[in-house]
Amino acid sequence: MIARRRDDEIDRIDRACRVVRTILDELAEMARVGTTTAELDRHAEARCEDFGARPAFKGYMGYPAALCVSVNEQVVHGIPGPRRLESGDLVSIDFGVLLDGYYGDSAITCLVGEASEADRELSRVTRECLMRAVEQVRPGRRIGDIGRAVEEHATAHGYGVVREFVGHGIGTRMHEEPQIPNYRTNRTTPRIEAGNVLAIEPMITAGRPEVRVLADGWTAVTRDGSKAAHWELVVAATPEGPRVLGDPVAAGCGEERNRA
Ligand code: MF3
Ligand code: CO
């Protein structure tokens, strides 16, 4: 069963997503040459307090930090630490909060210092995959339409689609039904109904799509060492169409980031 949320519930998820968006926007500004990934994590956790929110990842299945910060060939679930960002790094920052009983969850990819044209393209196309997927979040479409939209656009650019991690329903738990693969499946998938709230999160690689998890038990990296990008938004299906939660446009999310 995919939860169907009332408008007032969707508004509360929206408020959680706004906190996530605001903090991610600050982190995008901080993600410059010389910043450590632990500094980003400390900022996120401190800012949560200002909003009366709780970092959703910390303690989740034993995860040790508020943020996932995944650099270059790291795809997702990179653990913040003493690593300093360098010019040319491609950094995905994934962040979630619990506010007033409801979850927000979002990810951005940032380009640090002098970014290569190839990295800009990878991040841009990954975000395009996300926005094409968002367009599918309408009553009557199927969950499988989301993955098809992502896969079609990614493979048209010769990129890999990560299969080991998926998007998810979200609301009063961070991960709710359904799972949302970023690739086409032959199975019949549920129809999307008004009130469904979905976290869509394509993870796209410049090379092969296979990943492995490092000895820390979390960090997923591409097996071939190619770079990966990750963008995530929460979207509600409404009778009028997709409603992206957390006001991504006003907060400037989605602009490609390239900070010195
Ligand atoms: N956005 C990721 C997800 O939806 C974050 C989970 S990371 C964890 O799965 F650390 F919390 F596990
Ligand atoms: Co998520």
Side-chain angles (χ1 to χ4, degrees):
M1 263 298 290
I2 309 177
R4 296 185 65 181
R5 307 285 179 191
R6 299 183 311 267
D7 285 350
D8 63 294
E9 296 174 297
I10 294 173
D11 287 342
R12 285 162 81 176
I13 302 169
D14 180 57
R15 285 198 280 276
C17 289
R18 280 169 196 265
V19 171
V20 171
R21 174 63 42 220
T22 300
I23 296 172
L24 277 178
D25 214 48
E26 294 167 2
L27 296 170
E29 289 290 338
M30 288 174 67
R32 295 167 185 252
V33 173
T35 304
T36 70
T37 59
E39 283 164 8
L40 299 175
D41 189 64
R42 277 196 296 275
H43 179 79
E45 191 159 355
R47 289 289 281 147
C48 271
E49 276 195 34
D50 299 340
F51 293 101
R54 216 180 73 193
F57 301 172
K58 197 164 185 174
Y60 180 84
M61 294 179 45
Y63 188 74
L67 293 182
C68 299
V69 184
S70 307
V71 185
N72 295 336
E73 80 288 354
Q74 299 175 352
V75 182
V76 286
H77 302 167
I79 300 173
R83 177 177 187 155
R84 282 186 196 283
L85 297 178
E86 294 174 13
S87 185
D89 280 348
L90 175 151
V91 187
S92 300
I93 306 176
D94 190 350
F95 183 44
V97 305
L98 175 63
L99 179 76
D100 192 20
Y102 288 83
Y103 283 90
D105 182 11
S106 190
I108 59 174
T109 293
C110 305
L111 302 160
V112 179
E114 299 283 328
S116 71
E117 195 46 51
D119 288 354
R120 283 175 204 280
E121 175 91 355
L122 175 63
S123 179
R124 182 178 61 76
V125 171
T126 303
R127 186 158 191 288
E128 288 170 0
C129 287
L130 172 58
M131 297 322 290
R132 284 167 182 240
V134 164
E135 280 304 307
Q136 306 303 314
V137 183
R138 305 168 180 276
R141 302 284 170 90
R142 290 185 183 276
I143 293 297
D145 293 332
I146 294 169
R148 180 173 338 100
V150 171
E151 183 172 40
E152 271 178 11
H153 192 56
T155 54
H157 286 82
Y159 293 143
V161 176
V162 172
R163 303 176 79 88
E164 283 84 348
F165 304 99
V166 296
H168 49 95
I170 186 168
T172 51
R173 285 170 298 138
M174 182 166 67
H175 295 145
E176 300 187 356
E177 286 182 58
Q179 296 198 7
I180 309 174
N182 291 301
Y183 51 89
R184 246 173 47 95
T185 61
N186 288 322
R187 281 188 295 278
T188 304
T189 55
R191 271 198 201 284
I192 296 171
E193 296 183 293
N196 292 162
V197 181
L198 307 175
I200 303 177
E201 46 181 319
M203 290 145 267
I204 304 297
T205 64
R208 302 273 319 160
E210 292 83 10
V211 304
R212 67 187 173 86
V213 175
L214 298 185
D216 64 21
W218 283 102
T219 313
V221 299
T222 57
R223 284 189 178 267
D224 67 2
S226 64
K227 287 187 176 182
H230 180 205
W231 285 89
E232 178 177 19
L233 285 173
V234 174
V235 191
T238 80
E240 291 78 40
R243 175 182 169 197
V244 176
L245 304 185
D247 203 6
V249 174
C253 156
E255 282 163 42
E256 241 182 60
R257 306 275 179 187
N258 180 25
R259 312 237 182 254

